[in-house]
Amino acid sequence: MVTRVLLLLLVLAGLPTLGRADTGDELDLSDLIQTFSEDFDTLDVSAWGPGTRWIAHTPWNGDFGSAAFADPKPGFPFTTQDGQLRIEAAKGVDGKWRGGLLASVDREGKGFAQQFGYFEMRARFPAGKGLWPAFWLIGLDRSTHTSEVDVVEHYGHMPARYTASVHVWDRKVPKNSRTTHKFVAVPPNSLYADFHTYGVKIDGEWTRFYFDRREVGSVPTPAEHHQPMYMLIDLGLGAGWPIDEAPSPSYMYVDYVRAWQKR
């Protein structure tokens, strides 16, 4: 999230993915209990809190990318219907883009976060160059490093894959930051036609990524990720790609977001 330059160079160069090879193993939740469930029958959100389940900006800064994240108001950027959340990104009459983001803690770190476990979103993405839907985890402690897991980032310029990543952003010496990416191939346009689940299971040794509850790769869990992490869900724009062809409006649909932890 802090920088995408390295990722874009890797993608453009067609380099192989990093991390352990795909296993295709089916997810096993038998040793976990559910700790969080958001089914979007309603949406409890405010711009910054306190006291709501979600806030509409990143707790540390507010916005990122080429679209500001809008304060929630009736009908934009969030609506709920039939147990689904719709996040809208649109270009206003002022020529500026605005999208939507949900964070599960507020600026004081109050809300839902947990150390280790399994985190999952079921969603359908919009098609279009420049669009950037994502589901992330961020560590609560950002005093020296920002710990980040990108469960899914989808760049609209690449309809046949998405990216899962593990980052450790060094806030004092940026050149010491570390990143591991996993490029997950999918049938072209399938992320737009159907709902899919995007998950990550984290323990003290491994961070395992899942697509439709099948393992698609894993990387060793960094020591900096041994801490509670909270969730971000958003429909943004850019990520280093041009947005001149992005369709307005665009909609991301989220069926649910859930989390589990060891019994």
Side-chain angles (χ1 to χ4, degrees):
M1 190 182 305
V2 178
T3 179
R4 304 296 168 194
V5 174
L6 176 60
L7 172 57
L8 294 177
L9 290 174
L10 289 170
V11 170
L12 293 173
L15 297 180
T17 60
L18 304 177
R20 206 176 62 174
D22 303 3
T23 69
D25 291 347
E26 188 172 4
L27 176 68
D28 181 8
L29 295 176
S30 61
D31 61 339
L32 304 179
I33 59 171
Q34 192 171 102
T35 53
F36 181 91
S37 181
E38 174 62 89
D39 293 321
F40 297 112
D41 294 316
T42 60
L43 181 63
D44 183 22
V45 62
S46 63
W48 292 103
T52 52
R53 192 175 207 191
W54 303 94
I55 65 169
H57 300 276
T58 67
W60 68 90
N61 186 40
D63 301 335
F64 57 83
S66 300
F69 293 121
D71 290 351
K73 61 181 181 181
F76 186 83
F78 311 112
T79 57
T80 56
Q81 185 175 355
D82 299 327
Q84 291 181 4
L85 168 70
R86 189 186 77 179
I87 306 177
E88 180 177 352
K91 191 175 185 179
V93 295
D94 58 1
K96 297 180 180 180
W97 278 91
R98 295 171 180 84
L101 176 143
L102 296 176
S104 65
V105 302
D106 62 21
R107 284 184 286 191
E108 295 182 356
K110 296 179 180 178
F112 176 78
Q114 73 177 29
Q115 180 171 328
F116 303 150
Y118 179 68
F119 303 79
E120 182 179 82
M121 174 183 74
R122 184 173 187 265
R124 177 164 62 87
F125 295 153
K129 293 182 178 180
L131 298 177
W132 184 20
F135 175 40
W136 343 63
L137 307 177
I138 303 291
L140 277 178
D141 182 2
R142 298 180 67 249
S143 57
T144 60
H145 298 76
T146 296
S147 298
E148 176 183 343
V149 176
D150 304 339
V151 185
V152 54
E153 288 184 285
H154 178 61
Y155 305 105
H157 285 71
M158 293 173 280
R161 70 178 175 193
Y162 73 87
T163 305
S165 307
V166 170
H167 304 280
V168 177
W169 304 111
D170 192 312
R171 295 172 55 79
K172 296 185 177 180
V173 187
K175 67 179 182 180
N176 291 338
S177 297
R178 312 188 307 276
T179 291
T180 304
H181 297 295
K182 174 67 186 178
F183 304 130
V184 181
V186 295
N189 301 314
S190 65
L191 304 186
Y192 319 137
D194 302 300
F195 280 84
H196 296 278
T197 60
Y198 305 88
V200 65
K201 192 175 183 181
I202 308 171
D203 59 34
E205 296 184 358
W206 289 98
T207 296
R208 295 177 171 86
F209 293 101
Y210 293 85
F211 178 64
D212 288 336
R213 295 199 169 183
R214 294 281 180 178
E215 186 178 337
V216 292
S218 61
V219 298
T221 301
E224 294 87 351
H225 287 213
H226 290 215
Q227 62 165 304
M229 306 189 85
Y230 60 89
M231 301 181 292
L232 300 178
I233 309 153
D234 72 272
L235 177 55
L237 269 80
W241 298 100
I243 63 172
D244 53 301
E245 296 183 56
S248 176
S250 292
Y251 304 108
M252 171 182 176
Y253 294 90
V254 185
D255 185 29
Y256 64 74
V257 182
R258 294 172 184 163
W260 290 257
Q261 200 171 40
K262 280 253 185 193
R263 295 178 182 274

